[in-house]
mmCIF file of all heavy atoms in Angstrom:
data_model
loop_
_atom_site.group_PDB
_atom_site.id
_atom_site.type_symbol
_atom_site.label_atom_id
_atom_site.label_comp_id
_atom_site.label_asym_id
_atom_site.label_seq_id
_atom_site.Cartn_x
_atom_site.Cartn_y
_atom_site.Cartn_z
ATOM 1 N N ILE A 23 0.865 -1.176 0.000
ATOM 2 C CA ILE A 23 0.000 0.000 0.000
ATOM 3 C C ILE A 23 0.902 1.225 0.000
ATOM 4 O O ILE A 23 1.687 1.424 0.932
ATOM 5 C CB ILE A 23 -0.911 0.022 1.244
ATOM 6 C CG1 ILE A 23 -1.731 -1.273 1.322
ATOM 7 C CG2 ILE A 23 -1.801 1.259 1.238
ATOM 8 C CD1 ILE A 23 -2.351 -1.534 2.694
ATOM 9 N N GLY A 24 0.804 2.033 -1.031
ATOM 10 C CA GLY A 24 1.647 3.217 -1.150
ATOM 11 C C GLY A 24 0.967 4.456 -0.595
ATOM 12 O O GLY A 24 -0.207 4.690 -0.847
ATOM 13 N N ILE A 25 1.733 5.223 0.164
ATOM 14 C CA ILE A 25 1.289 6.541 0.619
ATOM 15 C C ILE A 25 2.154 7.570 -0.105
ATOM 16 O O ILE A 25 3.317 7.764 0.230
ATOM 17 C CB ILE A 25 1.481 6.745 2.135
ATOM 18 C CG1 ILE A 25 0.825 5.651 2.955
ATOM 19 C CG2 ILE A 25 0.949 8.132 2.544
ATOM 20 C CD1 ILE A 25 1.177 5.711 4.445
ATOM 21 N N PRO A 26 1.599 8.232 -1.112
ATOM 22 C CA PRO A 26 2.359 9.310 -1.748
ATOM 23 C C PRO A 26 2.384 10.513 -0.803
ATOM 24 O O PRO A 26 1.361 10.863 -0.203
ATOM 25 C CB PRO A 26 1.562 9.607 -3.019
ATOM 26 C CG PRO A 26 0.196 9.047 -2.788
ATOM 27 C CD PRO A 26 0.312 7.991 -1.741
ATOM 28 N N LEU A 27 3.554 11.095 -0.623
ATOM 29 C CA LEU A 27 3.694 12.190 0.328
ATOM 30 C C LEU A 27 3.773 13.535 -0.367
ATOM 31 O O LEU A 27 4.399 13.678 -1.421
ATOM 32 C CB LEU A 27 4.944 11.977 1.187
ATOM 33 C CG LEU A 27 4.946 10.692 2.017
ATOM 34 C CD1 LEU A 27 6.269 10.541 2.756
ATOM 35 C CD2 LEU A 27 3.778 10.675 2.984
ATOM 36 N N LYS A 28 3.153 14.509 0.255
ATOM 37 C CA LYS A 28 3.165 15.871 -0.274
ATOM 38 C C LYS A 28 4.561 16.450 -0.111
ATOM 39 O O LYS A 28 5.228 16.246 0.899
ATOM 40 C CB LYS A 28 2.149 16.729 0.473
ATOM 41 C CG LYS A 28 1.993 18.111 -0.097
ATOM 42 C CD LYS A 28 0.879 18.867 0.591
ATOM 43 C CE LYS A 28 0.715 20.225 -0.062
ATOM 44 N NZ LYS A 28 -0.421 20.950 0.497
ATOM 45 N N SER A 29 4.986 17.166 -1.119
ATOM 46 C CA SER A 29 6.268 17.860 -1.054
ATOM 47 C C SER A 29 6.069 19.264 -1.611
ATOM 48 O O SER A 29 4.998 19.594 -2.117
ATOM 49 C CB SER A 29 7.326 17.114 -1.859
ATOM 50 O OG SER A 29 6.973 17.118 -3.222
ATOM 51 N N ASN A 30 7.094 20.065 -1.508
ATOM 52 C CA ASN A 30 6.995 21.423 -2.045
ATOM 53 C C ASN A 30 6.866 21.417 -3.558
ATOM 54 O O ASN A 30 6.217 22.277 -4.139
ATOM 55 C CB ASN A 30 8.209 22.248 -1.614
ATOM 56 C CG ASN A 30 8.214 22.505 -0.129
ATOM 57 O OD1 ASN A 30 7.160 22.526 0.510
ATOM 58 N ND2 ASN A 30 9.394 22.695 0.441
ATOM 59 N N ALA A 31 7.479 20.426 -4.180
ATOM 60 C CA ALA A 31 7.404 20.324 -5.633
ATOM 61 C C ALA A 31 6.120 19.605 -6.027
ATOM 62 O O ALA A 31 5.888 18.471 -5.630
ATOM 63 C CB ALA A 31 8.609 19.556 -6.162
ATOM 64 N N LEU A 32 5.265 20.248 -6.740
ATOM 65 C CA LEU A 32 4.058 19.663 -7.321
ATOM 66 C C LEU A 32 3.037 19.174 -6.293
ATOM 67 O O LEU A 32 2.149 18.396 -6.616
ATOM 68 C CB LEU A 32 4.427 18.534 -8.287
ATOM 69 C CG LEU A 32 5.375 18.925 -9.421
ATOM 70 C CD1 LEU A 32 5.761 17.699 -10.241
ATOM 71 C CD2 LEU A 32 4.759 19.984 -10.303
ATOM 72 N N ASP A 33 3.151 19.589 -5.054
ATOM 73 C CA ASP A 33 2.188 19.268 -3.989
ATOM 74 C C ASP A 33 1.907 17.777 -3.831
ATOM 75 O O ASP A 33 0.837 17.388 -3.381
ATOM 76 C CB ASP A 33 0.861 20.008 -4.210
ATOM 77 C CG ASP A 33 0.967 21.480 -3.881
ATOM 78 O OD1 ASP A 33 1.776 21.839 -2.996
ATOM 79 O OD2 ASP A 33 0.238 22.275 -4.490
ATOM 80 N N GLY A 34 2.827 16.931 -4.213
ATOM 81 C CA GLY A 34 2.652 15.493 -4.048
ATOM 82 C C GLY A 34 2.021 14.793 -5.233
ATOM 83 O O GLY A 34 1.894 13.562 -5.225
ATOM 84 N N VAL A 35 1.611 15.545 -6.253
ATOM 85 C CA VAL A 35 1.016 14.912 -7.424
ATOM 86 C C VAL A 35 2.044 14.011 -8.112
ATOM 87 O O VAL A 35 1.711 12.930 -8.608
ATOM 88 C CB VAL A 35 0.446 15.960 -8.407
ATOM 89 C CG1 VAL A 35 -0.026 15.321 -9.701
ATOM 90 C CG2 VAL A 35 -0.697 16.713 -7.744
ATOM 91 N N ASP A 36 3.302 14.425 -8.105
ATOM 92 C CA ASP A 36 4.359 13.586 -8.678
ATOM 93 C C ASP A 36 4.459 12.258 -7.930
ATOM 94 O O ASP A 36 4.561 11.193 -8.542
ATOM 95 C CB ASP A 36 5.701 14.318 -8.659
ATOM 96 C CG ASP A 36 6.086 14.837 -7.275
ATOM 97 O OD1 ASP A 36 5.201 15.070 -6.431
ATOM 98 O OD2 ASP A 36 7.301 15.020 -7.033
ATOM 99 N N ALA A 37 4.381 12.307 -6.604
ATOM 100 C CA ALA A 37 4.447 11.090 -5.796
ATOM 101 C C ALA A 37 3.226 10.215 -6.040
ATOM 102 O O ALA A 37 3.323 8.986 -6.128
ATOM 103 C CB ALA A 37 4.571 11.436 -4.313
ATOM 104 N N LEU A 38 2.064 10.839 -6.155
ATOM 105 C CA LEU A 38 0.838 10.087 -6.429
ATOM 106 C C LEU A 38 0.951 9.337 -7.752
ATOM 107 O O LEU A 38 0.671 8.135 -7.831
ATOM 108 C CB LEU A 38 -0.366 11.027 -6.444
ATOM 109 C CG LEU A 38 -1.691 10.388 -6.846
ATOM 110 C CD1 LEU A 38 -2.122 9.349 -5.818
ATOM 111 C CD2 LEU A 38 -2.763 11.464 -7.000
ATOM 112 N N LEU A 39 1.366 10.033 -8.789
ATOM 113 C CA LEU A 39 1.472 9.386 -10.105
ATOM 114 C C LEU A 39 2.528 8.283 -10.102
ATOM 115 O O LEU A 39 2.317 7.217 -10.691
ATOM 116 C CB LEU A 39 1.768 10.423 -11.187
ATOM 117 C CG LEU A 39 0.633 11.419 -11.450
ATOM 118 C CD1 LEU A 39 1.073 12.494 -12.426
ATOM 119 C CD2 LEU A 39 -0.620 10.718 -11.929
ATOM 120 N N SER A 40 3.646 8.506 -9.432
ATOM 121 C CA SER A 40 4.682 7.474 -9.357
ATOM 122 C C SER A 40 4.194 6.247 -8.596
ATOM 123 O O SER A 40 4.600 5.130 -8.895
ATOM 124 C CB SER A 40 5.934 8.027 -8.665
ATOM 125 O OG SER A 40 6.534 9.010 -9.454
ATOM 126 N N THR A 41 3.319 6.454 -7.632
ATOM 127 C CA THR A 41 2.813 5.342 -6.831
ATOM 128 C C THR A 41 1.770 4.539 -7.593
ATOM 129 O O THR A 41 1.778 3.309 -7.554
ATOM 130 C CB THR A 41 2.229 5.861 -5.503
ATOM 131 O OG1 THR A 41 3.238 6.585 -4.794
ATOM 132 C CG2 THR A 41 1.738 4.719 -4.628
ATOM 133 N N VAL A 42 0.881 5.200 -8.304
ATOM 134 C CA VAL A 42 -0.216 4.475 -8.960
ATOM 135 C C VAL A 42 0.136 3.939 -10.339
ATOM 136 O O VAL A 42 -0.483 2.985 -10.802
ATOM 137 C CB VAL A 42 -1.517 5.317 -9.052
ATOM 138 C CG1 VAL A 42 -1.987 5.726 -7.688
ATOM 139 C CG2 VAL A 42 -1.349 6.518 -9.959
ATOM 140 N N GLN A 43 1.121 4.502 -11.003
ATOM 141 C CA GLN A 43 1.436 4.085 -12.378
ATOM 142 C C GLN A 43 2.443 2.944 -12.387
ATOM 143 O O GLN A 43 3.563 3.075 -12.844
ATOM 144 C CB GLN A 43 1.971 5.280 -13.183
ATOM 145 C CG GLN A 43 0.947 6.350 -13.408
ATOM 146 C CD GLN A 43 -0.189 5.900 -14.311
ATOM 147 O OE1 GLN A 43 -0.221 4.797 -14.828
ATOM 148 N NE2 GLN A 43 -1.154 6.764 -14.508
ATOM 149 N N MET A 44 2.007 1.793 -11.903
ATOM 150 C CA MET A 44 2.869 0.616 -11.847
ATOM 151 C C MET A 44 2.666 -0.233 -13.100
ATOM 152 O O MET A 44 1.573 -0.274 -13.654
ATOM 153 C CB MET A 44 2.544 -0.205 -10.602
ATOM 154 C CG MET A 44 2.919 0.489 -9.302
ATOM 155 S SD MET A 44 4.677 0.823 -9.191
ATOM 156 C CE MET A 44 5.334 -0.829 -9.278
ATOM 157 N N PRO A 45 3.709 -0.931 -13.510
ATOM 158 C CA PRO A 45 3.556 -1.792 -14.679
ATOM 159 C C PRO A 45 2.680 -2.997 -14.361
ATOM 160 O O PRO A 45 2.603 -3.440 -13.213
ATOM 161 C CB PRO A 45 4.998 -2.235 -14.991
ATOM 162 C CG PRO A 45 5.718 -2.098 -13.700
ATOM 163 C CD PRO A 45 5.062 -0.961 -12.969
ATOM 164 N N SER A 46 2.037 -3.523 -15.368
ATOM 165 C CA SER A 46 1.188 -4.687 -15.217
ATOM 166 C C SER A 46 1.988 -5.825 -14.581
ATOM 167 O O SER A 46 3.118 -6.093 -14.969
ATOM 168 C CB SER A 46 0.666 -5.116 -16.586
ATOM 169 O OG SER A 46 -0.186 -6.218 -16.455
ATOM 170 N N GLY A 47 1.388 -6.444 -13.578
ATOM 171 C CA GLY A 47 2.035 -7.559 -12.905
ATOM 172 C C GLY A 47 2.674 -7.206 -11.579
ATOM 173 O O GLY A 47 3.022 -8.087 -10.808
ATOM 174 N N ILE A 48 2.857 -5.920 -11.310
ATOM 175 C CA ILE A 48 3.444 -5.468 -10.043
ATOM 176 C C ILE A 48 2.493 -4.426 -9.440
ATOM 177 O O ILE A 48 2.742 -3.230 -9.497
ATOM 178 C CB ILE A 48 4.854 -4.847 -10.231
ATOM 179 C CG1 ILE A 48 5.761 -5.751 -11.048
ATOM 180 C CG2 ILE A 48 5.484 -4.528 -8.864
ATOM 181 C CD1 ILE A 48 6.124 -7.068 -10.361
ATOM 182 N N PRO A 49 1.373 -4.887 -8.862
ATOM 183 C CA PRO A 49 0.398 -3.925 -8.349
ATOM 184 C C PRO A 49 0.841 -3.268 -7.042
ATOM 185 O O PRO A 49 1.537 -3.873 -6.228
ATOM 186 C CB PRO A 49 -0.846 -4.781 -8.115
ATOM 187 C CG PRO A 49 -0.303 -6.147 -7.838
ATOM 188 C CD PRO A 49 0.926 -6.272 -8.696
ATOM 189 N N VAL A 50 0.426 -2.032 -6.887
ATOM 190 C CA VAL A 50 0.567 -1.284 -5.637
ATOM 191 C C VAL A 50 -0.767 -0.591 -5.397
ATOM 192 O O VAL A 50 -1.263 0.116 -6.276
ATOM 193 C CB VAL A 50 1.700 -0.230 -5.711
ATOM 194 C CG1 VAL A 50 1.667 0.700 -4.509
ATOM 195 C CG2 VAL A 50 3.059 -0.904 -5.809
ATOM 196 N N ALA A 51 -1.354 -0.816 -4.236
ATOM 197 C CA ALA A 51 -2.541 -0.060 -3.865
ATOM 198 C C ALA A 51 -2.069 1.323 -3.448
ATOM 199 O O ALA A 51 -0.984 1.470 -2.885
ATOM 200 C CB ALA A 51 -3.268 -0.745 -2.704
ATOM 201 N N ALA A 52 -2.853 2.334 -3.714
ATOM 202 C CA ALA A 52 -2.455 3.694 -3.352
ATOM 203 C C ALA A 52 -3.596 4.401 -2.645
ATOM 204 O O ALA A 52 -4.765 4.212 -2.998
ATOM 205 C CB ALA A 52 -2.039 4.484 -4.591
ATOM 206 N N VAL A 53 -3.230 5.181 -1.655
ATOM 207 C CA VAL A 53 -4.198 6.014 -0.952
ATOM 208 C C VAL A 53 -3.916 7.469 -1.328
ATOM 209 O O VAL A 53 -3.009 7.759 -2.102
ATOM 210 C CB VAL A 53 -4.114 5.788 0.577
ATOM 211 C CG1 VAL A 53 -4.533 4.358 0.934
ATOM 212 C CG2 VAL A 53 -2.731 6.101 1.113
ATOM 213 N N ALA A 54 -4.679 8.370 -0.773
ATOM 214 C CA ALA A 54 -4.529 9.790 -1.074
ATOM 215 C C ALA A 54 -3.159 10.308 -0.650
ATOM 216 O O ALA A 54 -2.467 9.705 0.177
ATOM 217 C CB ALA A 54 -5.613 10.586 -0.365
ATOM 218 N N ILE A 55 -2.780 11.428 -1.183
ATOM 219 C CA ILE A 55 -1.551 12.098 -0.763
ATOM 220 C C ILE A 55 -1.631 12.334 0.741
ATOM 221 O O ILE A 55 -2.635 12.867 1.236
ATOM 222 C CB ILE A 55 -1.367 13.424 -1.527
ATOM 223 C CG1 ILE A 55 -1.191 13.142 -3.025
ATOM 224 C CG2 ILE A 55 -0.180 14.222 -0.969
ATOM 225 C CD1 ILE A 55 -1.276 14.360 -3.912
ATOM 226 N N ASP A 56 -0.610 11.885 1.457
ATOM 227 C CA ASP A 56 -0.530 11.951 2.928
ATOM 228 C C ASP A 56 -1.630 11.127 3.605
ATOM 229 O O ASP A 56 -1.949 11.355 4.769
ATOM 230 C CB ASP A 56 -0.564 13.394 3.441
ATOM 231 C CG ASP A 56 0.711 14.163 3.143
ATOM 232 O OD1 ASP A 56 1.712 13.547 2.714
ATOM 233 O OD2 ASP A 56 0.718 15.393 3.350
ATOM 234 N N GLY A 57 -2.191 10.146 2.924
ATOM 235 C CA GLY A 57 -3.315 9.354 3.439
ATOM 236 C C GLY A 57 -2.901 8.194 4.322
ATOM 237 O O GLY A 57 -3.336 7.054 4.102
ATOM 238 N N ALA A 58 -2.104 8.456 5.329
ATOM 239 C CA ALA A 58 -1.563 7.398 6.181
ATOM 240 C C ALA A 58 -2.636 6.647 6.959
ATOM 241 O O ALA A 58 -2.541 5.429 7.135
ATOM 242 C CB ALA A 58 -0.528 7.977 7.142
ATOM 243 N N VAL A 59 -3.651 7.342 7.424
ATOM 244 C CA VAL A 59 -4.712 6.666 8.187
ATOM 245 C C VAL A 59 -5.428 5.658 7.289
ATOM 246 O O VAL A 59 -5.647 4.506 7.685
ATOM 247 C CB VAL A 59 -5.695 7.681 8.802
ATOM 248 C CG1 VAL A 59 -6.898 6.975 9.409
ATOM 249 C CG2 VAL A 59 -4.983 8.530 9.860
ATOM 250 N N ASN A 60 -5.763 6.063 6.079
ATOM 251 C CA ASN A 60 -6.427 5.118 5.164
ATOM 252 C C ASN A 60 -5.515 3.961 4.778
ATOM 253 O O ASN A 60 -5.994 2.837 4.585
ATOM 254 C CB ASN A 60 -6.943 5.831 3.913
ATOM 255 C CG ASN A 60 -8.353 6.350 4.098
ATOM 256 O OD1 ASN A 60 -8.992 6.092 5.111
ATOM 257 N ND2 ASN A 60 -8.834 7.080 3.120
#
């Protein structure tokens, strides 16, 4: 389960896209930016 973290650069959208855009066969579940509780 990936938690993309907010940063000063791009407000975490870069981390979100890097977390969810996995190649077929290597899944990663992703929650919201800074979504540690979820």
Side-chain angles (χ1 to χ4, degrees):
I23 304 163
I25 306 171
L27 300 176
K28 186 174 183 175
S29 64
N30 292 333
L32 304 175
D33 286 330
V35 173
D36 54 335
L38 175 65
L39 293 174
S40 293
T41 302
V42 301
Q43 293 293 358
M44 292 299 299
S46 182
I48 310 293
V50 170
V53 295
I55 296 168
D56 289 350
V59 171
N60 271 354

